[in-house]
Amino acid sequence: MFGIGGGELILIILVVLMLFGSDKIPEIARTLGKLFRQLKNATDDLKSEIQKSANENGIDSTGLTGGIAEEIQKVKQGLTEAVNPLSQSGTEQIVEEVEKAKEDIEQITGPIKRQF
């Protein structure tokens, strides 16, 4: 949680208890809860206002994010192919190269095996 370990969290709680006292902690928590709820409501209002304005002006807001999702998918596929080349569709070419290498090795080692 936020890069804070257990010991650090306990130390923070002790400092808060010493500064504010145990009787003020619930009041502070309620105030923070109200603040976060107001912030969430304001954010939701802003989102709905932007959506309403976009719809009134004929802007399709769903089309704006569709292209981004496709680009993200392309980047994911490119990274997967770069990290794991066997996952790409060209595995047949790799298999052919391995078979050629086997044949070359057998041609080289064939005369050596006959001598022994």
Side-chain angles (χ1 to χ4, degrees):
M1 181 169 92
F2 305 113
I4 298 175
E8 295 164 340
L9 189 61
I10 290 173
L11 180 66
I12 292 171
I13 290 171
L14 287 175
V15 169
V16 169
L17 277 173
M18 288 180 7
L19 288 175
F20 298 108
S22 61
D23 55 336
K24 295 283 185 181
I25 300 292
E27 184 179 328
I28 293 170
R30 271 192 294 277
T31 304
L32 286 174
K34 288 179 185 177
L35 176 70
F36 286 127
R37 187 176 9 178
Q38 288 176 351
L39 183 64
K40 183 180 181 293
N41 289 340
T43 306
D44 290 342
D45 289 342
L46 184 61
K47 285 180 185 178
S48 66
E49 193 65 34
I50 291 171
Q51 183 70 30
K52 187 189 328 176
S53 176
N55 289 339
E56 288 174 358
N57 292 323
I59 299 172
D60 182 22
S61 61
T62 57
L64 297 175
T65 58
I68 295 172
E70 291 173 5
E71 289 297 320
I72 290 173
Q73 186 61 30
K74 287 179 186 177
V75 170
K76 282 182 180 179
Q77 183 179 3
L79 285 174
T80 301
E81 290 175 358
V83 171
N84 188 5
L86 295 179
S87 68
Q88 53 185 307
S89 60
T91 56
E92 295 86 20
Q93 183 182 7
I94 295 172
V95 171
E96 289 175 9
E97 293 293 327
V98 170
E99 290 299 322
K100 286 179 186 177
K102 281 183 182 180
E103 290 173 6
D104 291 343
I105 291 172
E106 288 176 359
Q107 287 177 357
I108 294 171
T109 59
I112 297 173
K113 286 182 181 178
R114 290 184 201 132
Q115 291 177 359
F116 295 105

